[in-house]
Structure formats: C-alpha cells, structure tokens
mmCIF file of all heavy atoms in Angstrom:
data_model
loop_
_atom_site.group_PDB
_atom_site.id
_atom_site.type_symbol
_atom_site.label_atom_id
_atom_site.label_comp_id
_atom_site.label_asym_id
_atom_site.label_seq_id
_atom_site.Cartn_x
_atom_site.Cartn_y
_atom_site.Cartn_z
ATOM 1 N N ALA A 203 6.048 6.837 -7.177
ATOM 2 C CA ALA A 203 5.181 7.386 -6.129
ATOM 3 C C ALA A 203 3.864 7.925 -6.692
ATOM 4 O O ALA A 203 2.820 7.845 -6.035
ATOM 5 C CB ALA A 203 5.922 8.489 -5.365
ATOM 6 N N ASP A 204 3.900 8.493 -7.903
ATOM 7 C CA ASP A 204 2.673 9.067 -8.466
ATOM 8 C C ASP A 204 1.678 7.996 -8.902
ATOM 9 O O ASP A 204 0.536 8.309 -9.230
ATOM 10 C CB ASP A 204 3.016 9.968 -9.662
ATOM 11 C CG ASP A 204 3.711 9.211 -10.780
ATOM 12 O OD1 ASP A 204 4.595 8.382 -10.481
ATOM 13 O OD2 ASP A 204 3.358 9.431 -11.955
ATOM 14 N N ARG A 205 2.090 6.732 -8.912
ATOM 15 C CA ARG A 205 1.180 5.636 -9.264
ATOM 16 C C ARG A 205 0.510 5.036 -8.035
ATOM 17 O O ARG A 205 -0.246 4.064 -8.154
ATOM 18 C CB ARG A 205 1.940 4.532 -10.009
ATOM 19 C CG ARG A 205 2.449 4.941 -11.388
ATOM 20 C CD ARG A 205 3.265 3.818 -12.011
ATOM 21 N NE ARG A 205 3.671 4.122 -13.363
ATOM 22 C CZ ARG A 205 2.978 3.799 -14.457
ATOM 23 N NH1 ARG A 205 1.829 3.167 -14.335
ATOM 24 N NH2 ARG A 205 3.418 4.098 -15.659
ATOM 25 N N LEU A 206 0.788 5.588 -6.856
ATOM 26 C CA LEU A 206 0.255 5.050 -5.608
ATOM 27 C C LEU A 206 -0.492 6.132 -4.848
ATOM 28 O O LEU A 206 -0.265 7.322 -5.048
ATOM 29 C CB LEU A 206 1.399 4.511 -4.732
ATOM 30 C CG LEU A 206 2.335 3.483 -5.371
ATOM 31 C CD1 LEU A 206 3.533 3.248 -4.465
ATOM 32 C CD2 LEU A 206 1.603 2.176 -5.646
ATOM 33 N N ARG A 207 -1.381 5.715 -3.953
ATOM 34 C CA ARG A 207 -2.074 6.657 -3.075
ATOM 35 C C ARG A 207 -2.599 5.904 -1.859
ATOM 36 O O ARG A 207 -2.778 4.689 -1.890
ATOM 37 C CB ARG A 207 -3.231 7.356 -3.802
ATOM 38 C CG ARG A 207 -4.329 6.438 -4.312
ATOM 39 C CD ARG A 207 -5.377 7.225 -5.083
ATOM 40 N NE ARG A 207 -6.332 6.354 -5.754
ATOM 41 C CZ ARG A 207 -7.420 5.842 -5.193
ATOM 42 N NH1 ARG A 207 -7.686 6.108 -3.925
ATOM 43 N NH2 ARG A 207 -8.236 5.052 -5.866
ATOM 44 N N TRP A 208 -2.864 6.664 -0.791
ATOM 45 C CA TRP A 208 -3.463 6.098 0.413
ATOM 46 C C TRP A 208 -4.976 6.183 0.304
ATOM 47 O O TRP A 208 -5.517 7.177 -0.169
ATOM 48 C CB TRP A 208 -2.990 6.841 1.662
ATOM 49 C CG TRP A 208 -1.538 6.648 1.973
ATOM 50 C CD1 TRP A 208 -0.520 7.537 1.730
ATOM 51 C CD2 TRP A 208 -0.937 5.508 2.583
ATOM 52 N NE1 TRP A 208 0.673 7.019 2.135
ATOM 53 C CE2 TRP A 208 0.459 5.764 2.682
ATOM 54 C CE3 TRP A 208 -1.420 4.291 3.039
ATOM 55 C CZ2 TRP A 208 1.356 4.864 3.217
ATOM 56 C CZ3 TRP A 208 -0.522 3.382 3.589
ATOM 57 C CH2 TRP A 208 0.847 3.669 3.672
ATOM 58 N N GLN A 209 -5.656 5.141 0.725
ATOM 59 C CA GLN A 209 -7.122 5.110 0.650
ATOM 60 C C GLN A 209 -7.690 4.501 1.928
ATOM 61 O O GLN A 209 -7.137 3.535 2.467
ATOM 62 C CB GLN A 209 -7.572 4.291 -0.560
ATOM 63 C CG GLN A 209 -9.088 4.185 -0.721
ATOM 64 C CD GLN A 209 -9.474 3.541 -2.040
ATOM 65 O OE1 GLN A 209 -9.070 4.008 -3.107
ATOM 66 N NE2 GLN A 209 -10.232 2.461 -1.971
ATOM 67 N N ARG A 210 -8.814 5.072 2.391
ATOM 68 C CA ARG A 210 -9.465 4.538 3.591
ATOM 69 C C ARG A 210 -9.978 3.132 3.308
ATOM 70 O O ARG A 210 -10.514 2.858 2.236
ATOM 71 C CB ARG A 210 -10.619 5.454 4.016
ATOM 72 C CG ARG A 210 -10.135 6.731 4.696
ATOM 73 C CD ARG A 210 -11.265 7.696 4.983
ATOM 74 N NE ARG A 210 -12.311 7.100 5.823
ATOM 75 C CZ ARG A 210 -12.231 6.961 7.149
ATOM 76 N NH1 ARG A 210 -11.140 7.368 7.789
ATOM 77 N NH2 ARG A 210 -13.228 6.433 7.832
ATOM 78 N N TRP A 211 -9.804 2.248 4.303
ATOM 79 C CA TRP A 211 -10.121 0.834 4.116
ATOM 80 C C TRP A 211 -10.608 0.259 5.451
ATOM 81 O O TRP A 211 -10.046 0.579 6.504
ATOM 82 C CB TRP A 211 -8.856 0.093 3.655
ATOM 83 C CG TRP A 211 -9.109 -1.170 2.891
ATOM 84 C CD1 TRP A 211 -9.181 -2.433 3.377
ATOM 85 C CD2 TRP A 211 -9.334 -1.281 1.482
ATOM 86 N NE1 TRP A 211 -9.427 -3.332 2.368
ATOM 87 C CE2 TRP A 211 -9.528 -2.644 1.195
ATOM 88 C CE3 TRP A 211 -9.393 -0.364 0.450
ATOM 89 C CZ2 TRP A 211 -9.768 -3.110 -0.089
ATOM 90 C CZ3 TRP A 211 -9.630 -0.819 -0.830
ATOM 91 C CH2 TRP A 211 -9.814 -2.175 -1.099
ATOM 92 N N PRO A 212 -11.640 -0.597 5.431
ATOM 93 C CA PRO A 212 -12.102 -1.210 6.696
ATOM 94 C C PRO A 212 -11.005 -2.052 7.328
ATOM 95 O O PRO A 212 -10.358 -2.857 6.654
ATOM 96 C CB PRO A 212 -13.287 -2.076 6.251
ATOM 97 C CG PRO A 212 -13.711 -1.524 4.928
ATOM 98 C CD PRO A 212 -12.478 -0.991 4.286
ATOM 99 N N VAL A 213 -10.790 -1.866 8.617
ATOM 100 C CA VAL A 213 -9.743 -2.610 9.319
ATOM 101 C C VAL A 213 -10.000 -4.110 9.231
ATOM 102 O O VAL A 213 -9.062 -4.915 9.095
ATOM 103 C CB VAL A 213 -9.666 -2.157 10.790
ATOM 104 C CG1 VAL A 213 -8.735 -3.068 11.594
ATOM 105 C CG2 VAL A 213 -9.190 -0.714 10.879
ATOM 106 N N ALA A 214 -11.272 -4.519 9.267
ATOM 107 C CA ALA A 214 -11.608 -5.945 9.240
ATOM 108 C C ALA A 214 -11.225 -6.604 7.916
ATOM 109 O O ALA A 214 -11.104 -7.827 7.843
ATOM 110 C CB ALA A 214 -13.101 -6.134 9.500
ATOM 111 N N ALA A 215 -11.043 -5.806 6.843
ATOM 112 C CA ALA A 215 -10.730 -6.362 5.523
ATOM 113 C C ALA A 215 -9.250 -6.251 5.178
ATOM 114 O O ALA A 215 -8.863 -6.549 4.053
ATOM 115 C CB ALA A 215 -11.564 -5.654 4.446
ATOM 116 N N VAL A 216 -8.429 -5.840 6.127
ATOM 117 C CA VAL A 216 -6.991 -5.676 5.875
ATOM 118 C C VAL A 216 -6.281 -7.009 6.093
ATOM 119 O O VAL A 216 -6.477 -7.675 7.106
ATOM 120 C CB VAL A 216 -6.396 -4.597 6.799
ATOM 121 C CG1 VAL A 216 -4.883 -4.526 6.633
ATOM 122 C CG2 VAL A 216 -7.004 -3.234 6.490
ATOM 123 N N SER A 217 -5.443 -7.407 5.110
ATOM 124 C CA SER A 217 -4.640 -8.624 5.252
ATOM 125 C C SER A 217 -3.213 -8.239 5.630
ATOM 126 O O SER A 217 -2.800 -7.084 5.489
ATOM 127 C CB SER A 217 -4.641 -9.433 3.957
ATOM 128 O OG SER A 217 -3.812 -8.837 2.987
ATOM 129 N N GLU A 218 -2.451 -9.224 6.073
ATOM 130 C CA GLU A 218 -1.084 -8.961 6.527
ATOM 131 C C GLU A 218 -0.159 -8.549 5.384
ATOM 132 O O GLU A 218 0.919 -7.995 5.615
ATOM 133 C CB GLU A 218 -0.520 -10.193 7.225
ATOM 134 C CG GLU A 218 -0.456 -11.432 6.338
ATOM 135 C CD GLU A 218 0.068 -12.645 7.072
ATOM 136 O OE1 GLU A 218 0.206 -12.584 8.296
ATOM 137 O OE2 GLU A 218 0.336 -13.657 6.397
ATOM 138 N N LEU A 219 -0.566 -8.823 4.120
ATOM 139 C CA LEU A 219 0.273 -8.462 2.979
ATOM 140 C C LEU A 219 0.063 -7.022 2.529
ATOM 141 O O LEU A 219 0.848 -6.492 1.742
ATOM 142 C CB LEU A 219 -0.005 -9.411 1.809
ATOM 143 C CG LEU A 219 0.405 -10.869 2.009
ATOM 144 C CD1 LEU A 219 -0.028 -11.723 0.831
ATOM 145 C CD2 LEU A 219 1.915 -10.987 2.202
ATOM 146 N N MET A 220 -1.000 -6.377 3.016
ATOM 147 C CA MET A 220 -1.273 -4.995 2.634
ATOM 148 C C MET A 220 -0.385 -4.049 3.430
ATOM 149 O O MET A 220 0.079 -4.369 4.530
ATOM 150 C CB MET A 220 -2.747 -4.657 2.876
ATOM 151 C CG MET A 220 -3.718 -5.431 2.022
ATOM 152 S SD MET A 220 -5.430 -4.930 2.384
ATOM 153 C CE MET A 220 -6.350 -6.116 1.403
ATOM 154 N N LEU A 221 -0.178 -2.855 2.878
ATOM 155 C CA LEU A 221 0.607 -1.832 3.553
ATOM 156 C C LEU A 221 -0.340 -0.769 4.088
ATOM 157 O O LEU A 221 -1.075 -0.135 3.325
ATOM 158 C CB LEU A 221 1.614 -1.196 2.598
ATOM 159 C CG LEU A 221 2.785 -2.091 2.176
ATOM 160 C CD1 LEU A 221 2.420 -2.883 0.927
ATOM 161 C CD2 LEU A 221 4.035 -1.281 1.936
ATOM 162 N N THR A 222 -0.351 -0.589 5.400
ATOM 163 C CA THR A 222 -1.223 0.399 6.034
ATOM 164 C C THR A 222 -0.374 1.507 6.652
ATOM 165 O O THR A 222 0.852 1.394 6.782
ATOM 166 C CB THR A 222 -2.074 -0.260 7.130
ATOM 167 O OG1 THR A 222 -1.210 -0.701 8.199
ATOM 168 C CG2 THR A 222 -2.841 -1.462 6.578
ATOM 169 N N ARG A 223 -1.057 2.582 7.055
ATOM 170 C CA ARG A 223 -0.361 3.689 7.707
ATOM 171 C C ARG A 223 0.305 3.226 9.004
ATOM 172 O O ARG A 223 1.349 3.736 9.389
ATOM 173 C CB ARG A 223 -1.361 4.796 8.026
ATOM 174 C CG ARG A 223 -1.836 5.581 6.821
ATOM 175 C CD ARG A 223 -0.840 6.641 6.413
ATOM 176 N NE ARG A 223 -1.429 7.597 5.491
ATOM 177 C CZ ARG A 223 -0.759 8.562 4.890
ATOM 178 N NH1 ARG A 223 0.541 8.692 5.124
ATOM 179 N NH2 ARG A 223 -1.348 9.393 4.068
ATOM 180 N N GLU A 224 -0.312 2.221 9.636
ATOM 181 C CA GLU A 224 0.205 1.765 10.920
ATOM 182 C C GLU A 224 1.446 0.877 10.757
ATOM 183 O O GLU A 224 2.451 1.069 11.435
ATOM 184 C CB GLU A 224 -0.877 0.992 11.697
ATOM 185 C CG GLU A 224 -2.008 1.855 12.231
ATOM 186 C CD GLU A 224 -3.006 2.261 11.160
ATOM 187 O OE1 GLU A 224 -2.982 1.662 10.064
ATOM 188 O OE2 GLU A 224 -3.799 3.184 11.413
ATOM 189 N N ASN A 225 1.360 -0.111 9.847
ATOM 190 C CA ASN A 225 2.482 -1.057 9.738
ATOM 191 C C ASN A 225 3.551 -0.623 8.741
ATOM 192 O O ASN A 225 4.650 -1.187 8.710
ATOM 193 C CB ASN A 225 1.982 -2.466 9.381
ATOM 194 C CG ASN A 225 1.330 -2.535 7.998
ATOM 195 O OD1 ASN A 225 1.597 -1.720 7.128
ATOM 196 N ND2 ASN A 225 0.472 -3.517 7.798
ATOM 197 N N ALA A 226 3.240 0.364 7.891
ATOM 198 C CA ALA A 226 4.225 0.842 6.912
ATOM 199 C C ALA A 226 4.003 2.329 6.649
ATOM 200 O O ALA A 226 3.545 2.729 5.577
ATOM 201 C CB ALA A 226 4.111 0.053 5.606
ATOM 202 N N PRO A 227 4.309 3.173 7.639
ATOM 203 C CA PRO A 227 4.062 4.618 7.463
ATOM 204 C C PRO A 227 4.825 5.223 6.287
ATOM 205 O O PRO A 227 4.392 6.204 5.699
ATOM 206 C CB PRO A 227 4.531 5.213 8.806
ATOM 207 C CG PRO A 227 5.412 4.177 9.419
ATOM 208 C CD PRO A 227 4.893 2.860 8.935
ATOM 209 N N ASP A 228 5.975 4.615 5.934
ATOM 210 C CA ASP A 228 6.763 5.102 4.791
ATOM 211 C C ASP A 228 6.608 4.166 3.591
ATOM 212 O O ASP A 228 7.495 4.070 2.745
ATOM 213 C CB ASP A 228 8.234 5.207 5.196
ATOM 214 C CG ASP A 228 9.011 6.163 4.271
ATOM 215 O OD1 ASP A 228 8.408 7.121 3.758
ATOM 216 O OD2 ASP A 228 10.205 5.913 4.049
ATOM 217 N N GLY A 229 5.458 3.484 3.539
ATOM 218 C CA GLY A 229 5.234 2.482 2.503
ATOM 219 C C GLY A 229 5.292 3.031 1.093
ATOM 220 O O GLY A 229 5.753 2.357 0.175
ATOM 221 N N LEU A 230 4.845 4.261 0.896
ATOM 222 C CA LEU A 230 4.830 4.836 -0.457
ATOM 223 C C LEU A 230 6.254 4.930 -1.000
ATOM 224 O O LEU A 230 6.512 4.570 -2.155
ATOM 225 C CB LEU A 230 4.155 6.213 -0.417
ATOM 226 C CG LEU A 230 3.770 6.813 -1.772
ATOM 227 C CD1 LEU A 230 2.480 7.615 -1.636
ATOM 228 C CD2 LEU A 230 4.868 7.707 -2.304
ATOM 229 N N ASN A 231 7.185 5.371 -0.164
ATOM 230 C CA ASN A 231 8.584 5.459 -0.611
ATOM 231 C C ASN A 231 9.233 4.074 -0.696
ATOM 232 O O ASN A 231 10.080 3.828 -1.549
ATOM 233 C CB ASN A 231 9.378 6.349 0.343
ATOM 234 C CG ASN A 231 8.939 7.800 0.275
ATOM 235 O OD1 ASN A 231 8.542 8.290 -0.783
ATOM 236 N ND2 ASN A 231 8.980 8.488 1.405
ATOM 237 N N ASP A 232 8.830 3.163 0.193
ATOM 238 C CA ASP A 232 9.407 1.818 0.181
ATOM 239 C C ASP A 232 9.057 1.066 -1.098
ATOM 240 O O ASP A 232 9.877 0.334 -1.654
ATOM 241 C CB ASP A 232 8.910 1.016 1.397
ATOM 242 C CG ASP A 232 9.476 1.555 2.696
ATOM 243 O OD1 ASP A 232 10.480 2.293 2.640
ATOM 244 O OD2 ASP A 232 8.903 1.253 3.757
ATOM 245 N N ILE A 233 7.810 1.224 -1.565
ATOM 246 C CA ILE A 233 7.355 0.502 -2.757
ATOM 247 C C ILE A 233 7.860 1.164 -4.033
ATOM 248 O O ILE A 233 8.045 0.501 -5.061
ATOM 249 C CB ILE A 233 5.817 0.404 -2.763
ATOM 250 C CG1 ILE A 233 5.358 -0.492 -1.616
ATOM 251 C CG2 ILE A 233 5.302 -0.151 -4.086
ATOM 252 C CD1 ILE A 233 5.834 -1.928 -1.707
ATOM 253 N N SER A 234 8.083 2.461 -3.999
ATOM 254 C CA SER A 234 8.564 3.172 -5.195
ATOM 255 C C SER A 234 9.859 2.534 -5.689
ATOM 256 O O SER A 234 10.767 2.259 -4.912
ATOM 257 C CB SER A 234 8.799 4.646 -4.878
ATOM 258 O OG SER A 234 7.585 5.297 -4.588
ATOM 259 N N GLY A 235 9.936 2.291 -6.991
ATOM 260 C CA GLY A 235 11.090 1.653 -7.589
ATOM 261 C C GLY A 235 10.939 0.154 -7.745
ATOM 262 O O GLY A 235 11.777 -0.490 -8.372
ATOM 263 N N SER A 236 9.853 -0.404 -7.173
ATOM 264 C CA SER A 236 9.615 -1.836 -7.333
ATOM 265 C C SER A 236 9.068 -2.132 -8.716
ATOM 266 O O SER A 236 8.661 -1.231 -9.458
ATOM 267 C CB SER A 236 8.608 -2.322 -6.275
ATOM 268 O OG SER A 236 9.103 -2.147 -4.982
ATOM 269 N N ILE A 237 9.059 -3.405 -9.055
ATOM 270 C CA ILE A 237 8.488 -3.867 -10.322
ATOM 271 C C ILE A 237 7.288 -4.742 -10.016
ATOM 272 O O ILE A 237 7.353 -5.602 -9.134
ATOM 273 C CB ILE A 237 9.531 -4.656 -11.135
ATOM 274 C CG1 ILE A 237 10.672 -3.729 -11.567
ATOM 275 C CG2 ILE A 237 8.893 -5.297 -12.371
ATOM 276 C CD1 ILE A 237 11.800 -4.441 -12.269
ATOM 277 N N ALA A 238 6.192 -4.506 -10.724
ATOM 278 C CA ALA A 238 4.980 -5.305 -10.528
ATOM 279 C C ALA A 238 5.179 -6.676 -11.168
ATOM 280 O O ALA A 238 5.385 -6.769 -12.372
ATOM 281 C CB ALA A 238 3.769 -4.603 -11.139
ATOM 282 N N ARG A 239 5.124 -7.729 -10.346
ATOM 283 C CA ARG A 239 5.288 -9.079 -10.882
ATOM 284 C C ARG A 239 3.944 -9.719 -11.184
ATOM 285 O O ARG A 239 3.893 -10.845 -11.686
ATOM 286 C CB ARG A 239 6.076 -9.944 -9.898
ATOM 287 C CG ARG A 239 5.420 -10.170 -8.564
ATOM 288 C CD ARG A 239 6.344 -10.919 -7.623
ATOM 289 N NE ARG A 239 6.785 -12.181 -8.194
ATOM 290 C CZ ARG A 239 7.666 -12.992 -7.621
ATOM 291 N NH1 ARG A 239 8.212 -12.638 -6.467
ATOM 292 N NH2 ARG A 239 8.007 -14.132 -8.173
ATOM 293 N N ALA A 240 2.853 -9.011 -10.898
ATOM 294 C CA ALA A 240 1.496 -9.466 -11.223
ATOM 295 C C ALA A 240 0.643 -8.224 -11.456
ATOM 296 O O ALA A 240 0.948 -7.153 -10.922
ATOM 297 C CB ALA A 240 0.918 -10.315 -10.091
ATOM 298 N N PRO A 241 -0.434 -8.320 -12.254
ATOM 299 C CA PRO A 241 -1.263 -7.145 -12.520
ATOM 300 C C PRO A 241 -1.925 -6.624 -11.243
ATOM 301 O O PRO A 241 -2.328 -7.402 -10.379
ATOM 302 C CB PRO A 241 -2.315 -7.672 -13.509
ATOM 303 C CG PRO A 241 -1.746 -8.933 -14.065
ATOM 304 C CD PRO A 241 -0.899 -9.517 -12.993
ATOM 305 N N VAL A 242 -2.041 -5.295 -11.138
ATOM 306 C CA VAL A 242 -2.721 -4.646 -10.019
ATOM 307 C C VAL A 242 -3.702 -3.641 -10.615
ATOM 308 O O VAL A 242 -3.299 -2.752 -11.371
ATOM 309 C CB VAL A 242 -1.740 -3.925 -9.075
ATOM 310 C CG1 VAL A 242 -2.496 -3.307 -7.896
ATOM 311 C CG2 VAL A 242 -0.670 -4.891 -8.565
#
C-alpha cells in the first residue's frame, strides 16, 4: 500500500485498465500484495 497513491487525472485520459475512485474505490487494498509483471 505504501508504494501506491491516488492522483488527480483528466477523465478524458483514463483507460479501462486504470483503477479510479469510481470503478475501484478499494483499489489500493485490491492491488496490495500483487506482483509487478512489467516495470511501472
């Protein structure tokens, strides 16, 4: 969780693969424990 944060982003630039407050309000906890399969 400490490696992630919420950041303001233009709605027009949001893709379906991104996690937003609207589509994934608990996204920070959902992603925690995952493994990065590509550099971010």
Side-chain angles (χ1 to χ4, degrees):
D204 61 318
R205 293 176 175 269
L206 306 170
R207 61 183 171 85
W208 292 102
Q209 179 172 304
R210 284 174 58 79
W211 204 267
V213 171
V216 174
S217 75
E218 60 182 10
L219 293 175
M220 295 181 186
L221 289 89
T222 66
R223 287 279 194 186
E224 289 77 14
N225 65 24
D228 201 31
L230 193 146
N231 292 327
D232 291 342
I233 293 297
S234 294
S236 298
I237 294 175
R239 63 186 304 175
V242 182

